[in-house]
C-alpha cells in the first residue's frame, strides 16, 4: 500500500485521513449496517468493533446491542468516530479505544460479538489477532468479518478454522450504490 493510500484508508492520518473517513462513511456505511444486522444483536450484548473508522457501524450497533467498544489505531478515525457518536460516547454507550485487532485492551471473555469491516487485510499478524479475538470473546461468542472481496486474504475461512473458530461460513454481499464493491462476509463462533 502506498503512503497516500495508507494515510487515507489504511491507518488514516491528517487531511488525507479525514477525506478517507468521509468517503468511507458514505461508501462503506451500508456494509457496516449489513454486518450489524447479520449479527442479530441482543439488547444487552457487549460488542467490540475492530477498525470502526469514522464510526457508522458503532452507531448502528449501539441501536441494537449493549455497550459498544470501537478499537482503532488511528487517532484521526477515533476523533471522527467520537464526533459521529458524541451523544453515545457521552452516555458511555459507545466507548473508543486506541488499539488494534491483535491488542484490543479488552478483558478476557468480555465480548458477545466482535465485528470487523474492511480491516482484516490490514492486520499485520492475523494469527495474533485471531488469538486476541478468541481471548476477548465469551464462549460461543460471534465473530463477523466483512471485507471488500478484492482485498480479502486468500483462505480466510481456513485461517479462522485453524485458529480454533467453529461454524465458519463465508458468503458475499452486494452493497447498494456505486461507491462500494462486492463484500466478502465471514461468520464464526469462538
Ligand atoms: C479501510 S478503513 C475501514 C473503516 C470502516 N470499518 C469502513 O469500512 O468504512 C480501515 C480502518 O481499520 C483501522 N485499522 C488499521 N489497522 C488496524 C488493525 N491492525 N486493527 C484494527 N483496526 C485497524 C484503520 O485505522 C481504519 O480505521
Amino acid at each position: 500500500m502506498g503512503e497516500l493510500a495508507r494515510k487515507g484508508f489504511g491507518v488514516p492520518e491528517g487531511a488525507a485521513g479525514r477525506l478517507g473517513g468521509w468517503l468511507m462513511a458514505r461508501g462503506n456505511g451500508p456494509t457496516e449496517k449489513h454486518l450489524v444486522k447479520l449479527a442479530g444483536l441482543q439488547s444487552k450484548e457487549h460488542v467490540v468493533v475492530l477498525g470502526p473508522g469514522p464510526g457508522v457501524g458503532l452507531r448502528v450497533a449501539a441501536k441494537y446491542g449493549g455497550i459498544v467498544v470501537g478499537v482503532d489505531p488511528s487517532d484521526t478515525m477515533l476523533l471522527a468516530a467520537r464526533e459521529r457518536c458524541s451523544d453515545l460516547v457521552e452516555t458511555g454507550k459507545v466507548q473508543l479505544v486506541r488499539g488494534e485487532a491483535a491488542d484490543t485492551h479488552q478483558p478476557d471473555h468480555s465480548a458477545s460479538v466482535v465485528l470487523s469491516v474492511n480491516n482484516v487485510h490490514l492486520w499485520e499478524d492475523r494469527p495474533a489477532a485471531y488469538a486476541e479475538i478468541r481471548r476477548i470473546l465469551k464462549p460461543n461468542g460471534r465473530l463477523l468479518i466483512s471485507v471488500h472481496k478484492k482485498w480479502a486474504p486468500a483462505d480466510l475461512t481456513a485461517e479462522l478454522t485453524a485458529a480454533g473458530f467453529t461454524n465458519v461460513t463465508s458468503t458475499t454481499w452486494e452493497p447498494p450504490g456505486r461507491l462500494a464493491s462486492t463484500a466478502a462476509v465471514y461468520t464464526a463462533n469462538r
Side-chain angles (χ1 to χ4, degrees), residues 152-184:
D155 300 327
L156 196 54
T157 306
E159 284 184 15
L160 291 168
T161 304
F165 289 96
T166 59
N167 303 322
V168 180
T169 72
S170 79
T171 183
T172 58
W173 184 69
E174 294 299 336
R178 284 177 299 163
L179 281 175
S181 62
T182 303

Side-chain angles (χ1 to χ4, degrees), residues 9-190:
F9 302 100
V11 182
E13 193 183 318
R18 287 191 290 279
L19 176 61
W22 187 87
L23 289 169
M24 288 188 279
R26 278 141 195 88
N28 300 333
T31 306
E32 297 266 0
K33 290 174 191 163
H34 176 70
L35 206 67
V36 170
K37 195 172 154 201
L38 211 58
L41 299 179
Q42 303 297 308
S43 60
K44 293 217 167 71
E45 285 192 314
H46 188 90
V47 184
V48 173
V49 181
L50 302 171
V56 173
L58 297 174
R59 277 211 82 88
V60 186
K63 185 171 167 190
Y64 299 105
I67 302 289
V68 179
V69 182
V71 178
D72 201 293
S74 160
D75 289 332
T76 302
M77 287 300 96
L78 289 171
L79 184 60
R82 190 173 302 280
E83 285 170 0
R84 174 164 276 103
C85 303
S86 58
D87 53 330
L88 301 169
V89 171
E90 187 93 359
T91 61
K93 174 89 175 169
V94 167
Q95 299 170 7
L96 295 166
V97 175
R98 193 177 197 280
E100 54 181 290
D103 186 13
T104 62
H105 307 285
Q106 300 306 297
D108 292 354
H109 311 313
S110 54
S112 301
V113 179
V114 172
L115 303 173
S116 158
V117 177
N118 293 328
N119 54 86
V120 67
H121 60 296
L122 299 168
W123 302 350
E124 283 177 10
D125 185 346
R126 284 199 298 277
Y130 300 147
E132 173 72 350
I133 293 166
R134 283 175 52 74
R135 182 186 71 73
I136 68 171
L137 271 175
K138 294 177 198 258
N140 212 36
R142 291 138 28 229
L143 168 65
L144 293 92
I145 295 175
S146 178
V147 60
H148 294 301
K149 190 169 173 240
K150 60 190 175 193
W151 295 347
D155 300 327
L156 196 54
T157 306
E159 284 184 15
L160 291 168
T161 304
F165 289 96
T166 59
N167 303 322
V168 180
T169 72
S170 79
T171 183
T172 58
W173 184 69
E174 294 299 336
R178 284 177 299 163
L179 281 175
S181 62
T182 303
V185 179
Y186 306 83
T187 68
N189 290 97
R190 180 186 187 277

